[in-house]
Structure formats: C-alpha cells, structure tokens
Amino acid sequence: MPEIEHLRRTLAKRIVGSTIDCVDVRRADVIRTPRGRGGRQATAAMCGLRGARVTTTDRHGKQLAILTTRGVLVVHLGMSGRLQAVGEQEPTSAALVGASHVHMVMTLIDAEGRRSIMVHRDPRRFGGLWLRDTLEDVRRAEWSRLGPDALTIRRECFLARLSRGRSIKAMLLDQSIVAGVGNIYADEALHRARLHPATRGVSVSRDRLGLLHTALGAVLRAAVRAGGSTIRDFQDAAGRFGTYAGRHRVYARAGLPCLDCGTVLAGSTVAGRTTVHCPMCQPRRSAAGSSGTRSIDRLSTPVDSTG
DNA sequence: CCTTAATCCTGGAAGC
DNA sequence: TGCTTCCAGGATTAAG
C-alpha cells in the first residue's frame, strides 16, 4: 500500500487535469468486468474513456482510483504491476511503450496541449483494471468489502477487529479486516511491536495490540515517505524506485542478525506466506492464562527518525 | 471457527 | 552453457 499511495501522489501530479485522447488496450484480459476478465466489451468500455478529463485520484488499501469526467478507472497492481506516465517527447517513452507485458497505453493532453502517455505493465497479470461509473459505485462494490484503510484506522477500531482467534499475521494480511497491509509491512510492524507472527489475536493484550497499531502506522508512513519498497518491479509514476527496502528490519533477512539484538532471524511460513521474525525480540508467549491481560515485558517501539 | 493448498502468471536466481 | 526447480510484493477458492 505505501507503494500505491506514493504512486497515487506521483501519478496525480502528471495526469490530473489532462484529457484522455487515446486508449490502446493491448491485452484485454487484464480488464475485469462483471462477466470475468477480458472480452470485447472490456476493451470497448475502456475506450469509452476517450475524451474524459482526469479530475482527481483516490485510494483505499491497495486499490487506486483514477476519477474522470466519464467514469472511474480502478487499478490493482498485484505483485508485478506498474503504472507510469511520461511526456511523449521524453527519451524514455519509446522504451516504455515498447516494453514487454504492456497491457494498456493511454495518451493524455494537458491544459497547455502537451501530450503524455500513461502505460500499464504487469508481467504476471495478478493485478487488474476495471471501470465504475462513480466513486460511490467503487465504494459500494469494492471498498465496502475491505476493512478500514491501514493508514487511517483508529486505535479502538484496530483493537476490536484484531481481537479474534486467528494468527495476528493472518489478520493483518486479510484485506477485509484492515486494508492495505501486505507481507512486507506485516512482518515489519510485528517486529516493531515485538509480537510473534503466529500469536492469536485474542490472546494479545490490549496494550500490545495498541502497540501494533502504532507500529503499523509508523512503518507505513515511513514507507510512503521513502516512496515504497522496491523488491524488483515497483516503480512510481516517474519510473523511480522506492527506497524503503533498505530500511527493512526483518523482511527477506532470515538467517541474518536482528538489528536490535543480534539474534539470528528465523524464517517460517505463517498464513501461507514467507515470514521472518526475531525469536528473541518476538517470543511466542504461552497462551496459558488466556485472559489477555498478562504483564508485558518491555513496551518499547523504536520510533522512526525521519520526518 | 480457522487452516492449508491450489490457482492465476512470468522471470530471476540457484542448483546441478 | 543449459536444464530444472524453487521462489516472489496478491487474492480467491475449495477442501480439511
């Protein structure tokens, strides 16, 4: 989600106020319709954006909405998706349009008549694009099924939603509980909050769940400021990489020393996803008295120094 | 209630 | 060099 929020900001600067002049759908099956993916009407509907002016952008969780005068384009990048917008005359534009796995190219014209192109590329095609008439429709159809956005969820709401019997990591990753937390940020937040990923939510004290809420917010905000995490594919609207991967404290660091205590970080699978945690900083607390109000070792969360 | 595995895809890295 | 195998930021579905 930090990647999407950063993308939204960089993209908005480049396309809001511009008019869509041309829509080139190269691979219709990235377009989702009520009747599945792809098809002639999917392409036709997307081409219906011709002549529309981009008014603003929005986001909920990992979904990006591009609002226009002729409908809303919703984007989910999945694992390998990118959306880039560059001036038509810029040297990078030819390579961008000619790259492999480019599924849609839009040509836009700004108020001064300058032409730019917006390119959607997604090698693995786990992501998708779809259209709704209005933002209200998007909220009703898609966003109502998502939990509150992870960047703005209130502490009490977070506590209530995560106080269930499932593992805490499974719930962080469940978009219907809280929207926007992916595998990287789940592990990073759990490490900051000193919580073992497999702990059942119901057995975590209110204080520590509150700590997780604070840690998650801090991690996500720092990641947005850093332009997201680029593992391999992610680039923002200008083609820049996110720099937050250099600040990951546990993600992809199994077998390396914990940056807090030096203990070798443990790799495992939790909720079907690769997971890294520190056995010392994030001990498995015995579920003995499941009252959920047992004492807490050390309530400390390293605070990010930037900003 | 909660969990796992399979599924949708491509491509990069590691192993032989 | 070339082949095979495994793994990856996500999300849904079926099955246990």
Side-chain angles (χ1 to χ4, degrees):
Chain A
M1 179 265 269
E3 291 74 32
I4 306 305
E5 175 58 19
H6 177 71
L7 171 69
R8 187 190 65 75
R9 295 176 188 183
T10 54
L11 190 65
K13 280 186 213 159
R14 291 170 173 242
I15 67 169
V16 167
S18 291
T19 299
I20 297 166
D21 185 51
C22 184
V23 179
D24 176 14
V25 175
R26 300 187 181 179
R27 181 140 201 166
D29 63 5
V30 298
I31 301 167
R32 300 178 187 178
T33 68
R35 282 200 279 271
R37 301 176 75 111
R40 198 140 294 168
Q41 84 232 355
T43 304
M46 204 54 81
C47 291
L49 286 177
R50 276 189 66 178
R53 186 170 46 84
V54 178
T55 53
T56 185
T57 61
D58 204 345
R59 179 193 61 76
H60 191 92
K62 302 171 186 174
Q63 294 184 21
L64 170 68
I66 299 169
L67 282 71
T68 81
T69 50
R70 301 186 66 169
V72 183
L73 171 61
V74 191
V75 180
H76 194 303
L77 292 183
M79 297 259 249
S80 59
R82 287 183 204 175
L83 206 54
Q84 271 177 256
V86 300
E88 205 176 47
Q89 303 307 319
E90 282 179 50
T92 53
S93 72
L96 236 159
V97 175
S100 58
H101 307 291
V102 167
H103 307 312
M104 188 177 74
V105 179
M106 280 187 179
T107 307
L108 300 110
I109 305 178
D110 72 10
E112 278 79 49
R114 289 181 296 241
R115 299 171 69 80
S116 62
I117 49 165
M118 184 172 81
V119 176
H120 173 248
R121 177 169 190 264
D122 186 3
R124 292 178 74 179
R125 281 178 277 141
F126 285 179
L129 311 170
W130 62 96
L131 292 166
R132 293 278 175 203
D133 289 337
T134 65
L135 185 60
E136 284 313 306
D137 289 342
V138 178
R139 291 204 174 108
R140 190 168 35 80
E142 278 92 24
W143 294 358
S144 67
R145 281 200 276 272
L146 300 175
D149 189 84
L151 217 45
T152 51
I153 188 171
R154 306 301 306 169
R155 179 192 145 97
E156 284 308 314
C157 181
F158 184 86
L159 263 58
R161 288 185 156 259
L162 284 126
S163 299
R164 283 177 241 271
R166 301 165 67 188
S167 77
I168 199 84
K169 176 159 178 178
M171 292 189 285
L172 283 175
L173 292 175
D174 185 336
Q175 303 299 299
S176 70
I177 290 183
V178 49
V181 185
N183 202 31
I184 295 173
Y185 302 105
D187 276 9
E188 293 298 315
L190 287 166
H191 181 253
R192 273 197 194 223
R194 304 174 75 86
L195 257 167
H196 190 289
T199 315
R200 291 173 180 281
V202 76
S203 68
V204 180
S205 71
R206 283 180 58 85
D207 280 348
R208 194 162 291 278
L209 267 187
L211 212 64
L212 178 60
H213 172 255
T214 305
L216 181 62
V219 166
L220 293 175
R221 270 177 272 279
V224 171
R225 282 197 299 272
S229 303
T230 296
I231 304 304
R232 183 170 53 226
D233 294 307
F234 177 72
Q235 290 179 259
D236 68 14
R240 289 176 297 240
F241 300 110
T243 62
Y244 195 72
R247 308 239 295 277
H248 293 169
R249 298 183 77 76
V250 284
Y251 179 82
R253 295 195 65 246
L256 297 172
C258 173
L259 296 171
D260 289 347
C261 74
T263 303
V264 174
L265 295 173
S268 64
T269 299
V270 178
R273 307 296 297 280
T274 296
T275 299
V276 185
H277 80 284
C278 173
M280 192 68 86
C281 299
Q282 302 165 264
R284 207 185 251 288
R285 289 169 182 75
S286 82
S290 59
S291 64
T293 54
R294 276 164 300 110
S295 69
I296 289 161
D297 49 303
R298 270 275 161 258
L299 288 176
S300 66
T301 302
V303 175
D304 207 88
S305 55
T306 46

